[in-house]
């Protein structure tokens, strides 16, 4: 059984599934987009992007 991880939007505090919130970019960074308030944070560095 696979547990669906949740993220909390830093703008509206709504919890949502990780798979619905993050989009991978080709430069190893990710984009967070809230499905509730539609705010986004771009170019979030990952450990692979460092």
């Amino acid at each position: 059984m696979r547990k669906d991880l949740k993220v909390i939007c830093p703008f509206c505090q709504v919890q949502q599934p990780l798979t619905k919130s993050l989009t991978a970019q080709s430069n190893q960074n990710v984009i967070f987009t809230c499905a509730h308030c539609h705010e986004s944070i771009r170019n979030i560095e990952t450990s692979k992007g460092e």
Side-chain angles (χ1 to χ4, degrees):
M1 181 164 90
R2 186 173 158 174
K3 187 174 181 177
D4 193 18
L5 299 175
K6 304 275 186 190
V7 293
I8 300 172
C9 175
F11 302 103
C12 69
Q13 308 304 311
V14 170
Q15 288 188 17
Q16 50 204 328
L18 180 76
T19 56
K20 303 285 185 191
S21 305
L22 297 180
T23 304
Q25 293 181 286
S26 61
N27 62 358
Q28 302 298 325
N29 293 349
V30 295
I31 300 171
F32 167 81
T33 305
C34 179
H36 182 258
C37 70
H38 305 290
E39 290 287 342
S40 66
I41 302 172
R42 303 179 76 75
N43 299 319
I44 300 169
E45 290 188 21
T46 64
S47 60
K48 286 191 172 190
E50 294 180 332

